Amino acid sequence: MSADELSKSPLKRTPLYDAHVEAGARMVPFAGYEMPVQYSLGIIAEHTWTRNHASLFDISHMGQAVVTAADGKHETVARALEALVPADIVELVPGQQRYSQLLNASGGVIDDLMVTRPEESDESGRLILVLNASRKDIDIEHIARQLCEGTRIESCPDLALLALQGPKSGDVLEPICPDSRKLAFMQATRTQIAGCDCFVSRSGYTGEDGFEISVGASDAVTLWRALLANDEVRPCGLGARDSLRLEAGLCLYGHELDETISPVEAGLTWSIPKRRRTGGFPGAERILGEISASPARTRVGLHFIGRAPAREGAKILSKMGDEIGVVTSGGYSPTLKQPIALAYVPPEYASADTPLTVIVRGEPLDAKVVPLPFVPHRYRRA
Amino acid sequence: MLKYTEEHEWLNVEGDIATIGITQHAATQLGDLVFVELPKIGASLKKGAAAAVVESVKTASDVYAPLDGSVVEINQPVADDPTIISADPLGRGWLYKLRVANLADLDGFLDEAAYANLIA
């Protein structure tokens, strides 16, 4: 077996580094950070725990930033951001969160991100962004360059971010954060947990009910310990986070999303509301064209007849033997106990049950297209 | 006597047959194994070529042939249940047996102390 290639550049640590090591984490380089890939019980146990109880993830490596309007008006900052993303930001009500994509001029995805309008009136004219770790520097530079006069972006490196995910998350959080009860999926509020000032949103990236909690770096360990004090909560690493998001059929930047892939191809058309389908965002011509006609390729889920997982990069053939696409994420589903994969294929091969062939180590494997998500979402809708 | 490679395989040679598996260290590093692909009986293997594949939830890792030889037996139970490898990598979790082409090639592997030093 080949040895891991360790990055030579110095790795950053989140405020929870010591807590991870103490909890038995295996730390690995990820997006320039030393992050826990798993704890002692392993990825499958952590994954299964998240689907049945509640798990706590350190996602402090992700970017947090705030976009502000000098005039303090929501409409000003929202219109500025709408020039960069295809979501409806102007009509966000206070305390509401949206998923969207930063787009380049050709409609490719620079990053996918969460945008939240704070609830409190003294934060009017502010939008809070959560960005992917591997893209945050690129994003902030891009946004800073593109924002119109009177608006600006600031990164928030002094904040940590924790994700509490799983069906027991609400029960865990409510006693120590009564404000969390009022939140439905994609709503956020400022509150306190264990004496720490927090910004809590009901969201996540596992397909389960859950919360993402932004907290000052100096309070991160206090919050981490307060949440782990509940027996329903276990720490969970990035390995399980990846298998959970794969089962949930969610895109991961650098795999399902990159600067060549449009949100329509990625199956994210749902995140472009009617009000924005007249344009006014980068790459609108391509994206609106793909919505009204059809994109060159589309993201699908695959099940396999055999037990061998197909990994990223595996070629996909039609049953006629034509090379039609490639696997972007593939792995083992601990919930379904079988291999699953996300892939891009032309739309004519994208309907459920279409038989396809995937080449794994030179061998053709039988696969078929299945609807996404692989495992149903269990968000807490309003 | 058990010998080790720098690529985290072990081999146990009796006569001209080498039983081959992955080390406890490798099994620990890989974590939960979900799939194993073993070589075919009769396959002719070249030293350094991929002989088997062990896959964890996240990644596939090649297991290289430590010697030239031909595959005489495979451990079908680990193909049916890869968790056996994680549970007992040096025992029930062996992968395959190789008829060694040239016994002179057996020099140069690590003994237990040298391997322990490598992973320390």
Side-chain angles (χ1 to χ4, degrees):
Chain A
M1 278 172 282
S2 57
D4 287 343
E5 283 184 24
L6 290 175
S7 164
K8 295 283 185 284
S9 61
L11 294 166
K12 288 181 269 192
R13 293 177 172 181
T14 76
L16 292 162
Y17 176 87
D18 291 340
H20 297 315
V21 172
E22 187 187 309
R26 175 132 58 89
M27 307 300 287
V28 299
F30 183 83
Y33 286 79
E34 271 184 282
M35 297 299 292
V37 66
Q38 63 165 79
Y39 297 82
S40 49
L41 291 178
I43 292 175
I44 292 178
E46 291 170 25
H47 179 114
T48 306
W49 186 266
T50 312
R51 291 263 180 258
N52 294 304
H53 303 269
S55 293
L56 188 57
F57 299 80
D58 178 15
I59 51 171
S60 302
H61 59 313
M62 296 186 78
Q64 298 185 74
V66 56
V67 184
T68 53
D71 65 7
K73 287 184 178 159
H74 171 69
E75 180 156 353
T76 306
V77 69
R79 290 218 181 273
L81 195 60
E82 280 195 357
L84 309 182
V85 307
D88 188 341
I89 308 296
V90 168
E91 291 182 10
L92 274 177
V93 300
Q96 196 178 14
Q97 188 173 47
R98 287 262 158 83
Y99 168 79
S100 194
Q101 307 84 34
L102 273 179
L103 298 172
N104 64 25
S106 52
V109 179
I110 298 169
D111 197 7
D112 59 340
L113 75 169
M114 298 293 274
V115 182
T116 311
R117 179 179 179 183
E119 195 177 28
E120 291 70 14
S121 56
D122 62 349
E123 291 196 80
S124 192
R126 288 164 69 90
L127 292 169
I128 292 169
L129 309 184
V130 177
L131 311 161
N132 279 303
S134 61
R135 302 295 288 177
K136 61 186 178 185
D137 296 341
I138 293 165
D139 297 345
I140 288 171
E141 198 190 314
H142 169 81
I143 296 169
R145 207 169 46 233
Q146 299 287 327
L147 278 176
C148 54
E149 213 179 311
T151 53
R152 58 187 300 233
I153 183 164
E154 274 176 274
S155 86
C156 310
D158 53 345
L159 292 176
L161 193 62
L162 308 188
L164 180 70
Q165 298 283 300
K168 299 290 172 65
S169 300
D171 294 343
V172 167
L173 200 52
E174 194 180 311
I176 54 174
C177 180
D179 286 342
S180 65
R181 193 184 329 158
K182 70 179 184 191
L183 299 176
F185 186 54
M186 302 297 272
Q187 291 180 341
T189 191
R190 287 206 186 275
T191 183
Q192 280 215 328
I193 305 171
C196 310
D197 289 327
C198 297
F199 186 69
V200 178
S201 65
R202 197 154 203 158
S203 59
Y205 223 60
T206 61
E208 296 294 333
D209 183 20
F211 302 86
E212 290 193 352
I213 308 170
S214 175
V215 64
S218 58
D219 283 336
V221 171
T222 304
L223 180 63
W224 178 261
R225 296 202 194 290
L227 291 165
L228 284 174
N230 190 312
D231 287 343
E232 284 288 345
V233 184
R234 288 184 181 172
C236 194
L238 295 186
R241 187 169 164 85
D242 188 45
S243 55
L244 289 158
R245 75 89 200 166
L246 178 58
E247 282 186 350
L250 300 171
C251 293
L252 182 62
Y253 200 88
H255 300 261
E256 286 69 42
L257 295 174
D258 65 33
E259 295 223 22
T260 73
I261 296 169
S262 79
V264 182
E265 292 175 323
L268 303 173
T269 307
W270 59 267
S271 70
I272 307 173
K274 208 172 203 171
R275 190 178 76 73
R276 300 303 315 277
R277 294 193 188 182
T278 52
F281 51 83
E285 194 179 342
R286 170 187 175 186
I287 288 170
L288 299 178
E290 287 178 348
I291 292 174
S292 61
S294 116
R297 56 190 167 173
T298 187
R299 187 168 65 94
V300 295
L302 298 178
H303 275 177
F304 296 85
I305 310 307
R307 287 172 45 191
R311 304 294 180 173
E312 181 177 4
K315 288 188 170 67
I316 299 172
L317 309 185
S318 72
K319 283 295 168 190
M320 302 297 287
D322 299 321
E323 196 176 317
I324 57 165
V326 67
V327 167
T328 49
S329 291
Y332 176 80
S333 162
T335 303
L336 304 176
K337 298 183 170 49
Q338 65 178 71
I340 55 175
L342 294 173
Y344 279 98
V345 296
E348 57 266 37
Y349 298 99
S351 45
D353 295 326
T354 304
L356 297 171
T357 301
V358 181
I359 306 298
V360 174
R361 291 184 290 275
E363 297 289 322
L365 300 185
D366 288 328
K368 69 168 183 177
V369 176
V370 295
L372 293 172
F374 296 104
V375 172
H377 296 162
R378 296 196 291 181
Y379 304 132
R380 186 174 173 277
R381 303 283 177 185
Chain B
M1 192 178 85
L2 218 50
K3 294 174 185 247
Y4 299 84
T5 72
E6 290 182 1
E7 288 78 36
H8 311 293
E9 291 104 13
W10 58 264
L11 58 161
N12 188 16
V13 184
E14 292 172 74
D16 63 347
I17 304 293
T19 303
I20 291 157
I22 65 170
T23 65
Q24 178 73 57
H25 172 74
T28 305
Q29 289 295 310
L30 287 166
D32 301 310
L33 293 179
V34 298
F35 179 76
V36 178
E37 189 173 291
L38 297 174
K40 293 192 169 52
I41 291 173
S44 201
L45 300 182
K46 281 278 172 210
K47 178 176 178 169
V53 179
V54 288
E55 301 210 17
S56 66
V57 180
K58 285 191 76 66
T59 56
S61 303
D62 286 331
V63 183
Y64 304 117
L67 293 160
D68 293 352
S70 60
V71 177
V72 292
E73 195 178 341
I74 58 168
N75 188 7
Q76 188 59 39
V78 302
D80 298 334
D81 179 8
T83 62
I84 294 170
I85 300 172
S86 316
D88 191 9
L90 278 73
R92 290 184 304 123
W94 64 277
L95 299 179
Y96 63 98
K97 295 187 184 187
L98 198 64
R99 187 180 304 282
V100 180
N102 187 351
L103 289 171
D105 292 342
L106 283 173
D107 296 336
F109 290 106
L110 305 174
D111 62 16
E112 188 155 358
Y115 182 70
N117 195 39
L118 176 77
I119 60 174

